[in-house]
Amino acid sequence: MTEGFEFARDGAVARLTFARPSKKNAITHVMWSALPEIIAGVEADPAVKVLVLTGAGEDFSAGADISEFGELRSNAEGAAVYDKAIEAAVRALTGMRKPSVAMIRGNCIGGGCQISVACDFRFAAEGSRFGITPAKLGIVYDFVSTRQLVSLIGPAHARYFLLSGELITSARAREIGLLNEVFAPEDLGDGVARFVETLCSRSQASIRGMNRIIEKILAGQVEPDAEVDQIRLDALHGEDYAEGVDAFLSRRTPRFKYS
């Protein structure tokens, strides 16, 4: 595993932890570059149903490791190479069909917030702080991440985030739709575990098919295409559909193939 990450699997749940607590889990260029391969491994592992991302210690992530910028982003060419690593990491996470869950404590700022927005779900502890700060660094946020943010919280809130660079509380983040839920710090782990258990109990064919369709909608697609039609047709002919209908009619809990 790449330095700065910890990876573990517990049954059907994979957990990727930003593990630089002394640096508020700042993400290095090496870590950004490693994320696509890590995510591809999770996606390819038939035993894994859900990926949980979190941070060691008191923070999720304070963002990209700015201490590297003097060396790696000292000119426009270096900055472009660095940005491509970030963009590839975001696209890999966004493109997952298996659901991803960000479990957030403390600072979730800059690139850390960018990663959380690329996840399917975000749950946070009270007292967490959120912000995206390119305007403090003279950086223009990349297109895909901007689109994701606008789709999630709307253009007015996205402008506030991106143009001001100001930080907001977990309560405010919940109000504007950035977070799915906020928990007391001592309840966050259990709350996320319950939700992940729910995801694992559902039809994985449904989850992965719908996740792909949502991705296409967020990318601007307005009409179904051949891939969408095939996803829905495959589901109708799949074992999960037969099991789900039978379980409903029999008033029992479904036992899906990969559950």
Side-chain angles (χ1 to χ4, degrees), residues 1-2 4-9 13-19 31 34-35 38-39 42 50-56 60 93 101 103 115:
M1 179 55 58
T2 299
F5 285 126
E6 292 176 358
F7 183 85
R9 202 187 78 192
V13 181
R15 182 181 293 257
L16 182 63
T17 302
F18 298 106
M31 292 166 69
L35 272 170
I38 294 170
I39 291 166
V42 170
V50 180
L51 172 64
V52 176
L53 292 92
T54 191
F60 182 76
L93 189 53
V101 179
M103 185 171 78
I115 287 290

Side-chain angles (χ1 to χ4, degrees), residues 34-94:
L35 272 170
E37 184 176 352
I38 294 170
I39 291 166
V42 170
E43 192 83 324
D45 187 339
V48 173
K49 296 178 182 178
V50 180
L51 172 64
V52 176
L53 292 92
T54 191
E58 298 180 354
D59 298 292
F60 182 76
S61 173
D65 189 343
I66 297 177
S67 69
E68 296 185 324
F69 282 19
E71 177 182 357
L72 299 180
R73 296 184 64 112
S74 60
N75 54 50
E77 291 76 17
V81 171
Y82 195 103
D83 286 346
K84 285 181 180 179
I86 295 177
E87 291 163 14
V90 169
R91 282 169 169 78
L93 189 53
T94 303

